[in-house]
Amino acid sequence: MYSARRLAVLACPVLLFATAACTPGTSHQESKAPSTPAPSSSQGKNGDSLPLAQAVGQLKVSAESRTGYERDNFHLWIDADHDGCDTRKEVLLAEAVKKPREGKNCRLTGGSWRSYYDDKTVTDARKLDIDHVVPLAEAWDSGASKWSAQRREQYANDLGAERSLVAVSLGPNRTKGDKDPAEWMPPATEATCTYATDWIAAKLRWKLTADGAEVKALRTVAADCKRATVTFTPAP
């Protein structure tokens, strides 16, 4: 599964993964090839892309509850394929603009990454967080509280979609915390459409609900992101 993600990011992101790029430099693909912007997308049940505004309408609106949430409810950074690289390192390898050197036990040195939240280049992997676009607590509030432990582990380590996990600078990710789009958006204005697309794709992929304020904020964003489309593959 993990090795396939590395190949698929390069070979067929439109067909298999949630991807997004409303403006130059905002998607994984663009960070690798900034001269070739890709349209923001996420795949519906029939394989067609949905306009961002229409995708917002696919979200099921429901009240949220954080009762019982603990971060430990989600088992993080597993090495499912036993290749020595855990989820964090798999994302770093997949998203690197300049590939790091991979040593024994997947020890990574060198490399560079583009953090699209703040539009900054990072050359030290220790200064990157692997962000769950839809935070773990938000996922819990939105339906994951009813999942099995195994399902939550799958969510926490989702390498089956390119955009569920992203490598970003520590600062904006720590500021984001558990906030939804009604409470936080990336500081780089050119990241707005991409982030909204990523968020909706992740929620639809995992059949997570959204609260009223969240949907209202996403509709406001969608009004200014008319070229953005959403493509997602439902989680297995």
PDB file of all heavy atoms in Angstrom, residues 155-194:
ATOM      1  N   TYR A 155      -7.626   5.548   9.165  1.00  0.00           N
ATOM      2  CA  TYR A 155      -7.798   6.974   8.916  1.00  0.00           C
ATOM      3  C   TYR A 155      -6.532   7.743   9.279  1.00  0.00           C
ATOM      4  O   TYR A 155      -6.077   8.612   8.518  1.00  0.00           O
ATOM      5  CB  TYR A 155      -8.980   7.526   9.723  1.00  0.00           C
ATOM      6  CG  TYR A 155      -9.158   9.007   9.541  1.00  0.00           C
ATOM      7  CD1 TYR A 155      -9.867   9.502   8.446  1.00  0.00           C
ATOM      8  CD2 TYR A 155      -8.609   9.915  10.441  1.00  0.00           C
ATOM      9  CE1 TYR A 155     -10.007  10.864   8.249  1.00  0.00           C
ATOM     10  CE2 TYR A 155      -8.745  11.282  10.255  1.00  0.00           C
ATOM     11  CZ  TYR A 155      -9.449  11.753   9.153  1.00  0.00           C
ATOM     12  OH  TYR A 155      -9.573  13.108   8.956  1.00  0.00           O
ATOM     13  N   ALA A 156      -5.968   7.442  10.420  1.00  0.00           N
ATOM     14  CA  ALA A 156      -4.798   8.170  10.914  1.00  0.00           C
ATOM     15  C   ALA A 156      -3.579   7.969  10.033  1.00  0.00           C
ATOM     16  O   ALA A 156      -2.651   8.788  10.060  1.00  0.00           O
ATOM     17  CB  ALA A 156      -4.481   7.738  12.348  1.00  0.00           C
ATOM     18  N   ASN A 157      -3.569   6.903   9.247  1.00  0.00           N
ATOM     19  CA  ASN A 157      -2.422   6.573   8.410  1.00  0.00           C
ATOM     20  C   ASN A 157      -2.821   6.439   6.939  1.00  0.00           C
ATOM     21  O   ASN A 157      -2.319   5.594   6.216  1.00  0.00           O
ATOM     22  CB  ASN A 157      -1.789   5.260   8.894  1.00  0.00           C
ATOM     23  CG  ASN A 157      -1.279   5.347  10.304  1.00  0.00           C
ATOM     24  OD1 ASN A 157      -0.157   5.768  10.560  1.00  0.00           O
ATOM     25  ND2 ASN A 157      -2.116   4.958  11.271  1.00  0.00           N
ATOM     26  N   ASP A 158      -3.721   7.305   6.505  1.00  0.00           N
ATOM     27  CA  ASP A 158      -4.333   7.166   5.182  1.00  0.00           C
ATOM     28  C   ASP A 158      -3.377   7.573   4.063  1.00  0.00           C
ATOM     29  O   ASP A 158      -3.248   8.750   3.729  1.00  0.00           O
ATOM     30  CB  ASP A 158      -5.601   8.021   5.112  1.00  0.00           C
ATOM     31  CG  ASP A 158      -6.336   7.846   3.790  1.00  0.00           C
ATOM     32  OD1 ASP A 158      -6.016   6.893   3.063  1.00  0.00           O
ATOM     33  OD2 ASP A 158      -7.234   8.664   3.498  1.00  0.00           O
ATOM     34  N   LEU A 159      -2.730   6.583   3.480  1.00  0.00           N
ATOM     35  CA  LEU A 159      -1.866   6.822   2.335  1.00  0.00           C
ATOM     36  C   LEU A 159      -2.545   6.415   1.032  1.00  0.00           C
ATOM     37  O   LEU A 159      -1.929   6.425  -0.029  1.00  0.00           O
ATOM     38  CB  LEU A 159      -0.549   6.050   2.496  1.00  0.00           C
ATOM     39  CG  LEU A 159       0.311   6.489   3.682  1.00  0.00           C
ATOM     40  CD1 LEU A 159       1.549   5.617   3.785  1.00  0.00           C
ATOM     41  CD2 LEU A 159       0.698   7.956   3.567  1.00  0.00           C
ATOM     42  N   GLY A 160      -3.807   6.070   1.102  1.00  0.00           N
ATOM     43  CA  GLY A 160      -4.545   5.681  -0.087  1.00  0.00           C
ATOM     44  C   GLY A 160      -5.072   6.865  -0.868  1.00  0.00           C
ATOM     45  O   GLY A 160      -5.586   6.717  -1.967  1.00  0.00           O
ATOM     46  N   ALA A 161      -4.949   8.070  -0.302  1.00  0.00           N
ATOM     47  CA  ALA A 161      -5.330   9.296  -0.996  1.00  0.00           C
ATOM     48  C   ALA A 161      -4.187  10.277  -0.835  1.00  0.00           C
ATOM     49  O   ALA A 161      -3.651  10.453   0.255  1.00  0.00           O
ATOM     50  CB  ALA A 161      -6.622   9.877  -0.413  1.00  0.00           C
ATOM     51  N   GLU A 162      -3.825  10.914  -1.920  1.00  0.00           N
ATOM     52  CA  GLU A 162      -2.658  11.797  -1.890  1.00  0.00           C
ATOM     53  C   GLU A 162      -2.840  12.972  -0.948  1.00  0.00           C
ATOM     54  O   GLU A 162      -1.871  13.484  -0.391  1.00  0.00           O
ATOM     55  CB  GLU A 162      -2.361  12.302  -3.302  1.00  0.00           C
ATOM     56  CG  GLU A 162      -1.073  13.112  -3.390  1.00  0.00           C
ATOM     57  CD  GLU A 162      -0.874  13.721  -4.762  1.00  0.00           C
ATOM     58  OE1 GLU A 162      -1.673  13.430  -5.665  1.00  0.00           O
ATOM     59  OE2 GLU A 162       0.072  14.506  -4.909  1.00  0.00           O
ATOM     60  N   ARG A 163      -4.084  13.423  -0.751  1.00  0.00           N
ATOM     61  CA  ARG A 163      -4.289  14.691  -0.059  1.00  0.00           C
ATOM     62  C   ARG A 163      -4.805  14.569   1.367  1.00  0.00           C
ATOM     63  O   ARG A 163      -5.062  15.578   2.001  1.00  0.00           O
ATOM     64  CB  ARG A 163      -5.261  15.548  -0.872  1.00  0.00           C
ATOM     65  CG  ARG A 163      -4.903  15.717  -2.329  1.00  0.00           C
ATOM     66  CD  ARG A 163      -3.663  16.530  -2.546  1.00  0.00           C
ATOM     67  NE  ARG A 163      -3.782  17.838  -1.940  1.00  0.00           N
ATOM     68  CZ  ARG A 163      -2.841  18.776  -2.042  1.00  0.00           C
ATOM     69  NH1 ARG A 163      -1.725  18.529  -2.697  1.00  0.00           N
ATOM     70  NH2 ARG A 163      -3.010  19.945  -1.475  1.00  0.00           N
ATOM     71  N   SER A 164      -4.977  13.390   1.900  1.00  0.00           N
ATOM     72  CA  SER A 164      -5.465  13.263   3.275  1.00  0.00           C
ATOM     73  C   SER A 164      -4.420  13.690   4.294  1.00  0.00           C
ATOM     74  O   SER A 164      -4.741  14.218   5.352  1.00  0.00           O
ATOM     75  CB  SER A 164      -5.898  11.824   3.560  1.00  0.00           C
ATOM     76  OG  SER A 164      -7.041  11.483   2.809  1.00  0.00           O
ATOM     77  N   LEU A 165      -3.151  13.422   3.986  1.00  0.00           N
ATOM     78  CA  LEU A 165      -2.023  13.784   4.830  1.00  0.00           C
ATOM     79  C   LEU A 165      -1.099  14.676   4.019  1.00  0.00           C
ATOM     80  O   LEU A 165      -0.777  14.357   2.872  1.00  0.00           O
ATOM     81  CB  LEU A 165      -1.264  12.536   5.287  1.00  0.00           C
ATOM     82  CG  LEU A 165      -2.037  11.506   6.110  1.00  0.00           C
ATOM     83  CD1 LEU A 165      -1.206  10.242   6.298  1.00  0.00           C
ATOM     84  CD2 LEU A 165      -2.406  12.090   7.465  1.00  0.00           C
ATOM     85  N   VAL A 166      -0.648  15.786   4.620  1.00  0.00           N
ATOM     86  CA  VAL A 166       0.237  16.709   3.909  1.00  0.00           C
ATOM     87  C   VAL A 166       1.373  17.139   4.825  1.00  0.00           C
ATOM     88  O   VAL A 166       1.195  17.295   6.037  1.00  0.00           O
ATOM     89  CB  VAL A 166      -0.526  17.947   3.398  1.00  0.00           C
ATOM     90  CG1 VAL A 166      -1.490  17.560   2.287  1.00  0.00           C
ATOM     91  CG2 VAL A 166      -1.266  18.660   4.525  1.00  0.00           C
ATOM     92  N   ALA A 167       2.551  17.319   4.241  1.00  0.00           N
ATOM     93  CA  ALA A 167       3.718  17.800   4.983  1.00  0.00           C
ATOM     94  C   ALA A 167       3.717  19.325   4.959  1.00  0.00           C
ATOM     95  O   ALA A 167       3.749  19.934   3.883  1.00  0.00           O
ATOM     96  CB  ALA A 167       4.994  17.261   4.352  1.00  0.00           C
ATOM     97  N   VAL A 168       3.661  19.935   6.144  1.00  0.00           N
ATOM     98  CA  VAL A 168       3.548  21.395   6.238  1.00  0.00           C
ATOM     99  C   VAL A 168       4.424  21.922   7.361  1.00  0.00           C
ATOM    100  O   VAL A 168       4.832  21.185   8.265  1.00  0.00           O
ATOM    101  CB  VAL A 168       2.086  21.839   6.472  1.00  0.00           C
ATOM    102  CG1 VAL A 168       1.221  21.510   5.270  1.00  0.00           C
ATOM    103  CG2 VAL A 168       1.510  21.200   7.731  1.00  0.00           C
ATOM    104  N   SER A 169       4.694  23.215   7.324  1.00  0.00           N
ATOM    105  CA  SER A 169       5.500  23.868   8.355  1.00  0.00           C
ATOM    106  C   SER A 169       4.873  23.714   9.733  1.00  0.00           C
ATOM    107  O   SER A 169       3.643  23.662   9.877  1.00  0.00           O
ATOM    108  CB  SER A 169       5.649  25.355   8.047  1.00  0.00           C
ATOM    109  OG  SER A 169       6.237  25.577   6.787  1.00  0.00           O
ATOM    110  N   LEU A 170       5.721  23.673  10.738  1.00  0.00           N
ATOM    111  CA  LEU A 170       5.233  23.509  12.107  1.00  0.00           C
ATOM    112  C   LEU A 170       4.298  24.634  12.530  1.00  0.00           C
ATOM    113  O   LEU A 170       3.251  24.391  13.140  1.00  0.00           O
ATOM    114  CB  LEU A 170       6.422  23.459  13.079  1.00  0.00           C
ATOM    115  CG  LEU A 170       7.462  22.357  12.879  1.00  0.00           C
ATOM    116  CD1 LEU A 170       8.574  22.494  13.920  1.00  0.00           C
ATOM    117  CD2 LEU A 170       6.817  20.982  12.987  1.00  0.00           C
ATOM    118  N   GLY A 171       4.674  25.885  12.215  1.00  0.00           N
ATOM    119  CA  GLY A 171       3.924  27.036  12.714  1.00  0.00           C
ATOM    120  C   GLY A 171       2.455  27.026  12.366  1.00  0.00           C
ATOM    121  O   GLY A 171       1.588  27.009  13.256  1.00  0.00           O
ATOM    122  N   PRO A 172       2.108  27.035  11.073  1.00  0.00           N
ATOM    123  CA  PRO A 172       0.683  27.050  10.718  1.00  0.00           C
ATOM    124  C   PRO A 172      -0.055  25.805  11.171  1.00  0.00           C
ATOM    125  O   PRO A 172      -1.235  25.885  11.537  1.00  0.00           O
ATOM    126  CB  PRO A 172       0.685  27.185   9.193  1.00  0.00           C
ATOM    127  CG  PRO A 172       2.050  26.791   8.754  1.00  0.00           C
ATOM    128  CD  PRO A 172       2.957  27.158   9.874  1.00  0.00           C
ATOM    129  N   ASN A 173       0.611  24.669  11.184  1.00  0.00           N
ATOM    130  CA  ASN A 173      -0.082  23.460  11.614  1.00  0.00           C
ATOM    131  C   ASN A 173      -0.408  23.505  13.096  1.00  0.00           C
ATOM    132  O   ASN A 173      -1.489  23.081  13.524  1.00  0.00           O
ATOM    133  CB  ASN A 173       0.756  22.218  11.307  1.00  0.00           C
ATOM    134  CG  ASN A 173      -0.027  20.942  11.528  1.00  0.00           C
ATOM    135  OD1 ASN A 173      -1.138  20.780  11.029  1.00  0.00           O
ATOM    136  ND2 ASN A 173       0.528  20.035  12.312  1.00  0.00           N
ATOM    137  N   ARG A 174       0.510  24.026  13.909  1.00  0.00           N
ATOM    138  CA  ARG A 174       0.247  24.125  15.344  1.00  0.00           C
ATOM    139  C   ARG A 174      -0.853  25.164  15.602  1.00  0.00           C
ATOM    140  O   ARG A 174      -1.661  25.004  16.520  1.00  0.00           O
ATOM    141  CB  ARG A 174       1.534  24.492  16.088  1.00  0.00           C
ATOM    142  CG  ARG A 174       2.701  23.536  15.820  1.00  0.00           C
ATOM    143  CD  ARG A 174       2.476  22.147  16.350  1.00  0.00           C
ATOM    144  NE  ARG A 174       3.460  21.186  15.877  1.00  0.00           N
ATOM    145  CZ  ARG A 174       4.652  20.959  16.435  1.00  0.00           C
ATOM    146  NH1 ARG A 174       5.019  21.659  17.505  1.00  0.00           N
ATOM    147  NH2 ARG A 174       5.479  20.066  15.930  1.00  0.00           N
ATOM    148  N   THR A 175      -0.874  26.217  14.790  1.00  0.00           N
ATOM    149  CA  THR A 175      -1.934  27.225  14.931  1.00  0.00           C
ATOM    150  C   THR A 175      -3.286  26.637  14.541  1.00  0.00           C
ATOM    151  O   THR A 175      -4.310  26.903  15.177  1.00  0.00           O
ATOM    152  CB  THR A 175      -1.637  28.451  14.049  1.00  0.00           C
ATOM    153  OG1 THR A 175      -0.379  29.007  14.430  1.00  0.00           O
ATOM    154  CG2 THR A 175      -2.720  29.516  14.208  1.00  0.00           C
ATOM    155  N   LYS A 176      -3.291  25.832  13.522  1.00  0.00           N
ATOM    156  CA  LYS A 176      -4.527  25.182  13.079  1.00  0.00           C
ATOM    157  C   LYS A 176      -5.095  24.280  14.160  1.00  0.00           C
ATOM    158  O   LYS A 176      -6.296  24.334  14.466  1.00  0.00           O
ATOM    159  CB  LYS A 176      -4.247  24.369  11.818  1.00  0.00           C
ATOM    160  CG  LYS A 176      -5.412  23.477  11.390  1.00  0.00           C
ATOM    161  CD  LYS A 176      -5.032  22.563  10.238  1.00  0.00           C
ATOM    162  CE  LYS A 176      -6.110  21.542   9.938  1.00  0.00           C
ATOM    163  NZ  LYS A 176      -5.738  20.638   8.819  1.00  0.00           N
ATOM    164  N   GLY A 177      -4.263  23.438  14.753  1.00  0.00           N
ATOM    165  CA  GLY A 177      -4.730  22.528  15.789  1.00  0.00           C
ATOM    166  C   GLY A 177      -5.886  21.665  15.308  1.00  0.00           C
ATOM    167  O   GLY A 177      -5.797  21.012  14.273  1.00  0.00           O
ATOM    168  N   ASP A 178      -6.996  21.710  16.046  1.00  0.00           N
ATOM    169  CA  ASP A 178      -8.182  20.909  15.718  1.00  0.00           C
ATOM    170  C   ASP A 178      -9.266  21.724  15.019  1.00  0.00           C
ATOM    171  O   ASP A 178     -10.412  21.285  14.924  1.00  0.00           O
ATOM    172  CB  ASP A 178      -8.765  20.295  16.995  1.00  0.00           C
ATOM    173  CG  ASP A 178      -7.805  19.333  17.667  1.00  0.00           C
ATOM    174  OD1 ASP A 178      -6.993  18.716  16.950  1.00  0.00           O
ATOM    175  OD2 ASP A 178      -7.849  19.214  18.906  1.00  0.00           O
ATOM    176  N   LYS A 179      -8.924  22.901  14.540  1.00  0.00           N
ATOM    177  CA  LYS A 179      -9.924  23.812  13.984  1.00  0.00           C
ATOM    178  C   LYS A 179     -10.418  23.358  12.611  1.00  0.00           C
ATOM    179  O   LYS A 179      -9.693  22.747  11.839  1.00  0.00           O
ATOM    180  CB  LYS A 179      -9.341  25.225  13.878  1.00  0.00           C
ATOM    181  CG  LYS A 179      -8.899  25.838  15.197  1.00  0.00           C
ATOM    182  CD  LYS A 179      -8.334  27.229  14.975  1.00  0.00           C
ATOM    183  CE  LYS A 179      -7.870  27.871  16.280  1.00  0.00           C
ATOM    184  NZ  LYS A 179      -6.652  27.234  16.796  1.00  0.00           N
ATOM    185  N   ASP A 180     -11.671  23.702  12.315  1.00  0.00           N
ATOM    186  CA  ASP A 180     -12.235  23.443  11.000  1.00  0.00           C
ATOM    187  C   ASP A 180     -12.187  24.731  10.171  1.00  0.00           C
ATOM    188  O   ASP A 180     -11.749  25.777  10.671  1.00  0.00           O
ATOM    189  CB  ASP A 180     -13.645  22.853  11.113  1.00  0.00           C
ATOM    190  CG  ASP A 180     -14.693  23.841  11.612  1.00  0.00           C
ATOM    191  OD1 ASP A 180     -14.489  25.068  11.496  1.00  0.00           O
ATOM    192  OD2 ASP A 180     -15.737  23.380  12.110  1.00  0.00           O
ATOM    193  N   PRO A 181     -12.617  24.717   8.905  1.00  0.00           N
ATOM    194  CA  PRO A 181     -12.499  25.908   8.060  1.00  0.00           C
ATOM    195  C   PRO A 181     -13.304  27.117   8.525  1.00  0.00           C
ATOM    196  O   PRO A 181     -13.053  28.232   8.052  1.00  0.00           O
ATOM    197  CB  PRO A 181     -13.001  25.411   6.695  1.00  0.00           C
ATOM    198  CG  PRO A 181     -12.664  23.965   6.699  1.00  0.00           C
ATOM    199  CD  PRO A 181     -12.948  23.516   8.105  1.00  0.00           C
ATOM    200  N   ALA A 182     -14.254  26.945   9.417  1.00  0.00           N
ATOM    201  CA  ALA A 182     -14.961  28.093   9.985  1.00  0.00           C
ATOM    202  C   ALA A 182     -14.076  28.838  10.984  1.00  0.00           C
ATOM    203  O   ALA A 182     -14.341  30.000  11.300  1.00  0.00           O
ATOM    204  CB  ALA A 182     -16.246  27.645  10.673  1.00  0.00           C
ATOM    205  N   GLU A 183     -13.031  28.164  11.459  1.00  0.00           N
ATOM    206  CA  GLU A 183     -12.174  28.723  12.499  1.00  0.00           C
ATOM    207  C   GLU A 183     -10.751  29.005  12.037  1.00  0.00           C
ATOM    208  O   GLU A 183     -10.036  29.799  12.646  1.00  0.00           O
ATOM    209  CB  GLU A 183     -12.115  27.743  13.676  1.00  0.00           C
ATOM    210  CG  GLU A 183     -13.479  27.390  14.244  1.00  0.00           C
ATOM    211  CD  GLU A 183     -13.442  26.133  15.104  1.00  0.00           C
ATOM    212  OE1 GLU A 183     -12.899  25.102  14.652  1.00  0.00           O
ATOM    213  OE2 GLU A 183     -13.952  26.198  16.234  1.00  0.00           O
ATOM    214  N   TRP A 184     -10.334  28.350  10.954  1.00  0.00           N
ATOM    215  CA  TRP A 184      -8.945  28.510  10.487  1.00  0.00           C
ATOM    216  C   TRP A 184      -8.841  28.187   9.011  1.00  0.00           C
ATOM    217  O   TRP A 184      -9.470  27.248   8.524  1.00  0.00           O
ATOM    218  CB  TRP A 184      -8.023  27.562  11.256  1.00  0.00           C
ATOM    219  CG  TRP A 184      -6.565  27.707  10.925  1.00  0.00           C
ATOM    220  CD1 TRP A 184      -5.672  28.537  11.525  1.00  0.00           C
ATOM    221  CD2 TRP A 184      -5.833  27.000   9.899  1.00  0.00           C
ATOM    222  NE1 TRP A 184      -4.428  28.397  10.937  1.00  0.00           N
ATOM    223  CE2 TRP A 184      -4.491  27.461   9.943  1.00  0.00           C
ATOM    224  CE3 TRP A 184      -6.181  26.032   8.960  1.00  0.00           C
ATOM    225  CZ2 TRP A 184      -3.502  26.999   9.086  1.00  0.00           C
ATOM    226  CZ3 TRP A 184      -5.207  25.560   8.084  1.00  0.00           C
ATOM    227  CH2 TRP A 184      -3.882  26.041   8.160  1.00  0.00           C
ATOM    228  N   MET A 185      -8.029  29.007   8.321  1.00  0.00           N
ATOM    229  CA  MET A 185      -7.647  28.714   6.948  1.00  0.00           C
ATOM    230  C   MET A 185      -6.151  28.992   6.823  1.00  0.00           C
ATOM    231  O   MET A 185      -5.580  29.760   7.608  1.00  0.00           O
ATOM    232  CB  MET A 185      -8.435  29.590   5.962  1.00  0.00           C
ATOM    233  CG  MET A 185      -9.919  29.245   5.855  1.00  0.00           C
ATOM    234  SD  MET A 185     -10.239  27.596   5.163  1.00  0.00           S
ATOM    235  CE  MET A 185      -9.801  27.864   3.441  1.00  0.00           C
ATOM    236  N   PRO A 186      -5.478  28.387   5.852  1.00  0.00           N
ATOM    237  CA  PRO A 186      -4.029  28.595   5.708  1.00  0.00           C
ATOM    238  C   PRO A 186      -3.690  30.072   5.536  1.00  0.00           C
ATOM    239  O   PRO A 186      -4.442  30.816   4.897  1.00  0.00           O
ATOM    240  CB  PRO A 186      -3.685  27.795   4.450  1.00  0.00           C
ATOM    241  CG  PRO A 186      -4.754  26.773   4.329  1.00  0.00           C
ATOM    242  CD  PRO A 186      -5.992  27.439   4.850  1.00  0.00           C
ATOM    243  N   PRO A 187      -2.553  30.511   6.088  1.00  0.00           N
ATOM    244  CA  PRO A 187      -2.178  31.922   5.967  1.00  0.00           C
ATOM    245  C   PRO A 187      -1.838  32.349   4.542  1.00  0.00           C
ATOM    246  O   PRO A 187      -1.980  33.523   4.221  1.00  0.00           O
ATOM    247  CB  PRO A 187      -0.952  32.030   6.883  1.00  0.00           C
ATOM    248  CG  PRO A 187      -0.437  30.642   7.029  1.00  0.00           C
ATOM    249  CD  PRO A 187      -1.644  29.751   6.948  1.00  0.00           C
ATOM    250  N   ALA A 188      -1.402  31.432   3.700  1.00  0.00           N
ATOM    251  CA  ALA A 188      -1.121  31.772   2.304  1.00  0.00           C
ATOM    252  C   ALA A 188      -2.450  31.838   1.545  1.00  0.00           C
ATOM    253  O   ALA A 188      -3.152  30.838   1.414  1.00  0.00           O
ATOM    254  CB  ALA A 188      -0.199  30.733   1.669  1.00  0.00           C
ATOM    255  N   THR A 189      -2.797  33.024   1.058  1.00  0.00           N
ATOM    256  CA  THR A 189      -4.106  33.196   0.423  1.00  0.00           C
ATOM    257  C   THR A 189      -4.274  32.308  -0.799  1.00  0.00           C
ATOM    258  O   THR A 189      -5.380  31.858  -1.105  1.00  0.00           O
ATOM    259  CB  THR A 189      -4.326  34.668   0.019  1.00  0.00           C
ATOM    260  OG1 THR A 189      -3.245  35.096  -0.822  1.00  0.00           O
ATOM    261  CG2 THR A 189      -4.372  35.558   1.251  1.00  0.00           C
ATOM    262  N   GLU A 190      -3.173  32.022  -1.510  1.00  0.00           N
ATOM    263  CA  GLU A 190      -3.274  31.181  -2.695  1.00  0.00           C
ATOM    264  C   GLU A 190      -3.542  29.717  -2.349  1.00  0.00           C
ATOM    265  O   GLU A 190      -3.788  28.892  -3.233  1.00  0.00           O
ATOM    266  CB  GLU A 190      -1.998  31.288  -3.550  1.00  0.00           C
ATOM    267  CG  GLU A 190      -0.726  30.850  -2.865  1.00  0.00           C
ATOM    268  CD  GLU A 190      -0.021  31.987  -2.131  1.00  0.00           C
ATOM    269  OE1 GLU A 190      -0.703  32.962  -1.742  1.00  0.00           O
ATOM    270  OE2 GLU A 190       1.204  31.889  -1.956  1.00  0.00           O
ATOM    271  N   ALA A 191      -3.482  29.385  -1.047  1.00  0.00           N
ATOM    272  CA  ALA A 191      -3.757  28.012  -0.616  1.00  0.00           C
ATOM    273  C   ALA A 191      -5.230  27.773  -0.304  1.00  0.00           C
ATOM    274  O   ALA A 191      -5.632  26.636  -0.068  1.00  0.00           O
ATOM    275  CB  ALA A 191      -2.920  27.683   0.620  1.00  0.00           C
ATOM    276  N   THR A 192      -6.028  28.819  -0.322  1.00  0.00           N
ATOM    277  CA  THR A 192      -7.414  28.721   0.143  1.00  0.00           C
ATOM    278  C   THR A 192      -8.226  27.678  -0.627  1.00  0.00           C
ATOM    279  O   THR A 192      -8.865  26.800  -0.035  1.00  0.00           O
ATOM    280  CB  THR A 192      -8.109  30.089   0.042  1.00  0.00           C
ATOM    281  OG1 THR A 192      -7.428  31.027   0.869  1.00  0.00           O
ATOM    282  CG2 THR A 192      -9.562  29.989   0.495  1.00  0.00           C
ATOM    283  N   CYS A 193      -8.213  27.751  -1.959  1.00  0.00           N
ATOM    284  CA  CYS A 193      -9.023  26.825  -2.752  1.00  0.00           C
ATOM    285  C   CYS A 193      -8.532  25.393  -2.586  1.00  0.00           C
ATOM    286  O   CYS A 193      -9.335  24.454  -2.477  1.00  0.00           O
ATOM    287  CB  CYS A 193      -8.983  27.219  -4.222  1.00  0.00           C
ATOM    288  SG  CYS A 193      -9.678  28.853  -4.562  1.00  0.00           S
ATOM    289  N   THR A 194      -7.218  25.223  -2.569  1.00  0.00           N
ATOM    290  CA  THR A 194      -6.651  23.890  -2.405  1.00  0.00           C
ATOM    291  C   THR A 194      -7.043  23.295  -1.066  1.00  0.00           C
ATOM    292  O   THR A 194      -7.434  22.125  -0.976  1.00  0.00           O
ATOM    293  CB  THR A 194      -5.112  23.951  -2.505  1.00  0.00           C
ATOM    294  OG1 THR A 194      -4.760  24.452  -3.788  1.00  0.00           O
ATOM    295  CG2 THR A 194      -4.490  22.584  -2.301  1.00  0.00           C
TER     296      THR A 194
END
